[in-house]
Amino acid sequence: MGTSRPPPWRIKIRPVNRWLPGVARVATISLLVFLAVFVSLRVAGPYVISTGLVRSGMEDSLSRWTGYSAEISGRPVIEFWPTPRITINKITVRQKDGDNKLFGTIESISAEFSLIDAFRGKASFHDFNILRPNLLLTRERDGTIDWTDEGQLAQAIIGAREQNGEETLDAALDADIGTITVEDGTLDVADVASGKTYRFDSVTADIGWPRLSSPLTAVLIARMNGLDIKLDFSSRSPLLAFGGKNAPLKAALTSTLVTAKFDGVANIARLFNLQGSMSLGIPDLPALLTWAGQALPDAATLKAFSIDSDVISAANGFRFDNVSLGMNGSSARGAMDVSFMPGKRPKLGGTLAFDQINFKSLFDAFVVRLAAGEDRGAPEGGALQALDIDLRLSARQADLVPFKLSNVGASIIVSSNEARFDIGDSQFEGGALTAYIAAKRGDFDGGGKLQMSIRGADFAGLIERLNLQGPLPLTTGSLDLAVSTALPIWKAGPADVTGNIRFRAQAGSLPGFDSDAVRSEAAKADFFSLNAVSHRAFAFDRFDIEADLDDGAAQIRRGLIEGPKETITLSGVIPYKSGGLALSGKIAATDPANDAAFPALPFFVGGSWPDPVLSALPGNQQKQQQQGATK
């Protein structure tokens, strides 16, 4: 018999058995050595490392980083477990110049430091925790902050360069940072231009910045004027961003009153050179204005506002594409642009297409009612006085109280001398409506005017839908209105306008005026309620009323209601400010050949609308009785 050979797997496993215990021993020994060194450094640290060295190193580090003079008055505390960390208390930071101006105070700063560097007589720190900093900054008239350029951070910002769309930094300017945590801070920013000081309380921040040359992410939470605000910020080129250069960044502002987002390339110093996407949402505009200490009369009509858009810088301004605009539940899409031409007022232009819109909200959106000197208004006159507007609007449905329009084409034009709103085309109650409102003079407190023209509209349907009372014409007709006022248009009421109005129609009826009943009652009574005796309508073939408006009253210049057999003529005054009536009228035969059948009946209309009182003029009763006896 031959000799048997061992299985192949036994031949392969033997070499592994020979070298595996050796690797395990080396790994175990290395781990034990590392742990011994780790523990030894922390045990020996308190005896070898000088507290004064670490403290002075922290002072030097703060001064070097900020460019200011940092002084520590509190006693430092050093911990070595689980990581070496120093905490310093009562820090004061001042400018280095002769003014010795206070920049801020900090209750305490703690940071991790390197044991190896400390053993070598150096101090290097990272991963900072800052407790209750109180900083004071000044924003100069040119928009810059009074921050020194002598510190390491400022030098890195100055030295950062853009190359192929990326941030580059010389190695000599680079440094480790790690994380920065801020707790319960306060920031005061004094604005020289406005004379106001903006205060941010309860500031909390969590900043991740491994090195100066690395991307930065930050989350900041603060309270301003009682409002909690959260800012999420990130940039892969933070030094370029802080240096007022174009840099890619993402930012999101969140609060209960306003939210905003931006993702793209921006210049945070000048807010120009934008390219990216942005959004802004204001769920409660009146509440936001109240928080900001501003006022907008009737702002409640513009409750909510939002906009989403792509934005890109253009010549002397910005271009907004793919705009999605929302106001009080209405939405629109389109494009807009804002230009800032040297020596001229900023100008907003564009085209927006709405599904449905309330024009009252739109007026308030563009601050048509905010003027110089207005109670609770901005003393400089508000946004309208500082901005030119040229917007083209369209809407499938629109509300222009008390009217409802469809297929509307409109525009808003605001210049230094006039603000004008035009409805160039719209469908209204089966007809067409055009109108414009204009406010005059540079400060817009010099009055304004309104012109409106309606053609071929179903006024019978409108009167029924609005539930209007009184003898009003049920017909398809046309109306022209032209009024003006010397008061600011946002203050003017119906009694403050002057102008004229004309209504014309063809066939229709006038409910509440029964000519036969009026003639019969006039023969018996000196006066009577028109509604009490009129149970039938007066049919007409022509309706033409024209009046002048002034001081809360309408002076009838022409009043003609022509029926197939009888015609009513009217003249006099309707003091609509008080709701009264003072009209003279006459019912007569339409065809003079029928005067005998329909003798003239002069009358007077008084009382108040919608229940007028009619009285026949003296002698009418006697004439009516004589005519009745003759018949």
Side-chain angles (χ1 to χ4, degrees):
M1 295 180 63
T3 304
S4 62
R5 300 179 61 186
W9 62 270
R10 293 186 61 186
I11 297 175
K12 292 180 179 179
I13 210 168
R14 285 175 182 171
V16 175
N17 289 337
R18 285 197 298 266
W19 59 259
L20 181 59
V23 173
R25 286 193 297 271
V26 171
T28 302
I29 294 172
S30 299
L31 178 60
L32 291 174
V33 170
F34 173 79
L35 291 175
V37 173
F38 180 82
V39 174
S40 299
L41 289 174
R42 279 147 182 75
V43 172
Y47 303 100
V48 178
I49 297 175
S50 168
T51 301
L53 170 68
V54 180
R55 169 179 170 167
S56 61
M58 180 64 86
E59 283 184 340
D60 293 341
S61 180
L62 283 174
S63 300
R64 184 176 69 255
W65 273 95
T66 63
Y68 289 84
S69 176
E71 300 175 359
I72 301 173
S73 57
R75 182 177 179 180
V77 177
I78 299 180
E79 301 170 318
F80 292 90
W81 186 266
T83 57
R85 193 170 191 86
I86 182 174
T87 301
I88 56 175
N89 302 290
K90 299 181 181 179
I91 304 100
T92 302
V93 183
R94 298 181 181 275
Q95 289 184 346
K96 292 182 178 181
D97 56 24
D99 294 339
N100 203 29
K101 179 182 176 181
L102 180 66
F103 171 69
T105 60
I106 304 173
E107 183 170 312
S108 70
I109 298 178
S110 64
E112 295 184 11
F113 63 92
S114 170
L115 276 176
I116 301 299
D117 289 344
F119 282 131
R120 297 165 54 191
K122 298 180 180 179
S124 59
F125 304 93
H126 58 92
D127 295 338
F128 298 87
N129 183 276
I130 304 173
L131 178 63
R132 296 189 183 90
N134 186 358
L135 304 182
L136 310 171
L137 296 177
T138 301
R139 184 177 184 270
E140 305 294 350
R141 292 187 180 276
D142 60 359
T144 60
I145 300 295
D146 63 338
W147 182 275
T148 180
D149 58 2
E150 298 179 0
Q152 186 170 354
L153 176 59
Q155 291 298 313
I157 291 174
I158 294 173
R161 296 290 181 266
E162 186 271 335
Q163 185 175 358
N164 298 326
E166 298 294 334
E167 177 184 278
T168 61
L169 181 66
D170 190 282
L173 298 174
D174 206 357
D176 290 328
I177 300 177
T179 61
I180 302 174
T181 303
V182 179
E183 299 180 43
D184 197 17
T186 301
L187 174 63
D188 290 287
V189 181
D191 185 48
V192 175
S194 65
K196 298 179 180 179
T197 297
Y198 301 93
R199 185 177 183 86
F200 299 87
D201 295 306
S202 305
V203 178
T204 300
D206 191 358
I207 303 171
W209 201 0
R211 295 180 62 82
L212 284 173
S213 58
S214 301
L216 176 146
T217 59
V219 178
L220 295 91
I221 299 174
R223 179 171 297 169
M224 183 181 181
N225 193 23
L227 178 67
D228 290 329
I229 300 172
K230 179 184 177 184
L231 176 64
D232 291 270
F233 178 88
S234 64
S235 175
R236 67 174 187 267
S237 304
L239 297 177
L240 293 178
F242 298 150
K245 301 180 179 68
N246 296 346
L249 59 88
K250 293 182 180 180
L253 177 68
T254 306
S255 72
T256 57
L257 296 182
V258 60
T259 59
K261 292 182 180 180
F262 177 81
D263 185 358
V265 176
N267 186 316
I268 63 176
R270 299 177 58 244
L271 296 181
F272 278 90
N273 301 320
L274 296 177
Q275 183 176 355
S277 60
M278 52 127 340
S279 65
L280 173 68
I282 303 174
D284 191 341
L285 180 62
L288 179 62
L289 291 171
T290 300
W291 172 79
Q294 301 295 321
L296 178 62
D298 291 341
T301 59
L302 180 62
K303 182 73 173 178
F305 175 82
S306 65
I307 182 172
D308 290 88
S309 174
D310 295 332
V311 58
I312 186 171
S313 296
N316 298 308
F318 304 102
R319 171 76 180 178
F320 298 90
D321 293 315
N322 300 318
V323 174
S324 178
L325 186 71
M327 290 192 302
N328 284 8
S330 300
S331 61
R333 302 192 68 86
M336 297 190 298
D337 57 82
V338 181
S339 60
F340 302 90
M341 300 298 292
K344 296 183 179 181
R345 290 153 50 104
K347 184 176 182 178
L348 171 67
T351 302
L352 293 172
F354 288 85
D355 289 331
Q356 184 172 355
I357 188 173
N358 186 321
F359 281 123
K360 178 63 167 56
S361 297
L362 191 66
F363 295 155
D364 291 338
F366 291 101
V367 207
V368 172
R369 297 183 169 217
L370 188 58
E374 180 75 14
D375 293 341
R376 301 182 297 112
E380 69 277 10
L384 184 61
Q385 285 73 16
L387 179 68
D388 285 349
I389 299 172
D390 188 355
L391 282 176
R392 300 292 183 264
L393 312 171
S394 64
R396 291 194 305 107
Q397 301 290 332
D399 291 331
L400 183 63
V401 177
F403 304 144
K404 290 185 178 295
L405 313 178
S406 60
N407 299 324
V408 180
S411 65
I412 294 179
I413 300 175
V414 178
S415 65
S416 59
N417 295 315
E418 187 179 46
R420 176 167 173 153
F421 171 72
D422 282 273
I423 298 178
D425 184 31
S426 70
Q427 296 177 5
F428 170 71
E429 299 293 339
L433 179 148
T434 61
Y436 85 84
I437 301 173
K440 298 183 293 185
R441 291 220 319 246
D443 56 5
F444 298 100
D445 66 355
K449 57 186 176 181
L450 162 66
Q451 288 191 1
M452 180 170 61
S453 178
I454 299 174
R455 294 288 179 268
D458 179 13
F459 282 88
L462 178 65
I463 290 171
E464 181 180 0
R465 182 165 55 81
L466 297 180
N467 195 28
L468 299 179
Q469 303 299 316
L472 296 171
L474 304 181
T475 182
T476 297
S478 299
L479 182 144
D480 293 285
L481 173 69
V483 295
S484 61
T485 177
L487 293 177
I489 61 174
W490 50 90
K491 287 185 175 181
D496 303 312
V497 301
T498 60
N500 58 78
I501 183 172
R502 185 178 185 184
F503 179 81
R504 292 164 294 169
Q506 300 300 316
S509 64
L510 185 68
F513 196 96
D514 184 344
S515 62
D516 290 340
V518 168
R519 286 181 179 276
S520 175
E521 192 68 21
K524 298 181 294 184
D526 291 335
F527 59 89
F528 51 89
S529 170
L530 184 61
N531 291 337
V533 301
S534 296
H535 306 295
R536 292 187 304 172
F538 182 84
F540 59 81
D541 298 322
R542 180 185 176 193
F543 194 107
D544 193 348
I545 296 288
E546 187 174 357
D548 293 329
L549 308 177
D550 190 16
D551 195 25
Q555 179 73 46
I556 305 295
R557 290 197 291 113
R558 175 182 177 85
L560 179 67
I561 308 173
E562 184 179 292
K565 297 179 180 180
E566 295 177 283
T567 294
I568 304 171
T569 57
L570 295 170
S571 63
V573 180
I574 302 176
Y576 54 83
K577 179 169 62 175
S578 59
L581 294 169
L583 296 176
S584 296
K586 183 174 70 172
I587 308 175
T590 300
D591 186 347
N594 296 325
D595 283 348
F598 302 101
L601 174 62
F603 60 85
F604 177 81
V605 180
S608 61
W609 192 271
D611 188 17
V613 174
L614 188 146
S615 62
L617 294 181
N620 281 325
Q621 292 95 334
Q622 183 178 359
K623 292 180 181 179
Q624 292 286 338
Q625 291 170 355
Q626 291 174 351
Q627 292 167 355
T630 301
K631 293 179 180 179

